[in-house]
Amino acid sequence: MATDTLQLLGKTIADKYAVESVVGEGGFATVYKAMHTIWKRPVALKVFKALGDFSEKDRAKLLEEFVQEGALLADLSARSAAIVQARDIGSLTGPKGEGIPYMVLEWLEGATLEAVMADEVAKGLPLRSMKDAVRLLDPIGEALALAHRKGIAHRDIKPGNVFVLGDPRGDCSLKLLDFGIAKVVNDAQKMAGSFTKTAGQVTSFTPAYGAPEQFSRTHGATGPWTDVFSLALIVAEVVTGKEPLQGDDFVQL
């Protein structure tokens, strides 16, 4: 269970986001459920704790990039219903007095595609046909196409970043999460001079859904094609019920 390491529960951020609970925690961010005190609607507050561990100069540079990526997300989400909406962005003071950036996103009720697939396997439901898999993931493909036309790549396409609202086997809609985040985290890792591993994963992308160029730049640079490769892996997993890339560690993958 995620813990309130940033000690934000019960606090009100920016005089309008009352923090109610912790809903998830990763290597570089903690997600809280908060209530917009004026609109009386829930929002997701994503706080990027890992970006607070740098010098003041590097932190300022990362914060500037974070704001730019937030603006891109706001623009993309305004153009596509399949991209989670960015509502606000800002910086709060952490437990040690450091400035920590946060992003306010629309609150989603549902589950990630990763959780959906695990639940379907546990219930013994039949696998989807290729036609059904494409129909399910088509909104994500269209959202990526929109971003790619603008020269923007996601770089961390995986079932955990695809959110399902509604009945996965019936009437449902999908939302793509974490646009622009992988780039900021990757740049932060370059500043730190190393790749930070959390729970056996490189934080800027997920190895099980990584494209060749993410494992080694000898295969070329990352870009929109990286997302296409990862989306193809998801399609394969939805159809076969198995992760396409098999391996016990980073080197094997």
Side-chain angles (χ1 to χ4, degrees):
M1 184 177 179
T3 56
D4 181 27
T5 54
L6 297 173
Q7 302 172 24
L8 296 179
L9 289 180
K11 294 184 178 180
T12 299
I13 308 301
D15 295 325
K16 55 186 173 182
Y17 304 114
V19 182
E20 296 182 342
S21 61
V22 185
V23 296
E25 184 176 20
F28 61 90
T30 301
V31 180
Y32 293 86
K33 181 179 182 180
M35 183 63 66
H36 194 298
T37 58
I38 300 173
W39 293 344
K40 305 301 180 184
R41 291 182 179 178
V43 295
L45 186 73
K46 192 156 194 172
V47 185
F48 296 85
K49 57 184 181 180
L51 302 189
D53 298 330
F54 293 86
S55 67
E56 185 175 346
K57 179 181 177 182
D58 286 344
R59 193 160 58 241
K61 183 177 179 180
L62 287 170
L63 182 58
E64 180 182 356
E65 183 176 350
F66 180 81
V67 171
Q68 291 174 350
E69 292 300 322
L72 285 175
L73 175 58
D75 179 60
L76 289 174
S77 63
R79 297 168 183 266
S80 172
I83 297 176
V84 64
Q85 291 184 1
R87 300 277 174 80
D88 199 359
I89 196 170
S91 181
L92 56 84
T93 302
K96 301 177 183 178
E98 74 278 29
I100 303 177
Y102 67 84
M103 188 177 290
V104 180
L105 307 167
E106 65 175 314
W107 178 256
L108 302 175
E109 292 286 352
T112 64
L113 181 59
E114 180 180 29
V116 167
M117 290 194 291
D119 181 62
E120 291 181 347
V121 169
K123 292 178 178 177
L125 297 181
L127 295 171
R128 289 175 174 80
S129 66
M130 178 60 79
K131 182 178 180 179
D132 288 339
V134 171
R135 183 186 301 114
L136 174 70
L137 293 166
D138 185 63
I140 301 303
E142 291 293 341
L144 286 173
L146 170 67
H148 293 168
R149 285 194 294 271
K150 289 179 165 290
I152 302 168
H154 187 289
R155 295 184 177 86
D156 193 19
I157 300 298
K158 60 183 178 181
N161 274 338
V162 176
F163 205 86
V164 182
L165 300 90
D167 180 6
R169 294 277 173 161
D171 186 19
C172 70
S173 58
L174 271 59
K175 293 270 189 178
L176 186 56
L177 311 178
D178 276 1
F179 232 112
I181 303 309
K183 182 179 185 300
V184 176
V185 173
N186 186 57
D187 287 349
Q189 290 173 341
K190 288 179 181 178
M191 286 184 183
S194 65
F195 284 99
T196 304
K197 291 186 178 181
T198 303
Q201 297 181 347
V202 177
T203 53
S204 61
F205 79 100
T206 306
Y209 302 93
E213 62 271 15
Q214 290 179 294
F215 288 93
S216 173
R217 290 304 167 86
T218 60
H219 297 295
T222 60
W225 47 88
T226 305
D227 295 342
V228 175
F229 189 98
S230 299
L231 184 58
L233 293 181
I234 296 178
V235 173
E237 183 173 354
V238 169
V239 172
T240 66
K242 299 177 181 178
E243 288 187 2
L245 299 185
Q246 299 294 322
D248 295 325
D249 55 40
F250 189 79
V251 175
Q252 288 181 10
L253 287 169

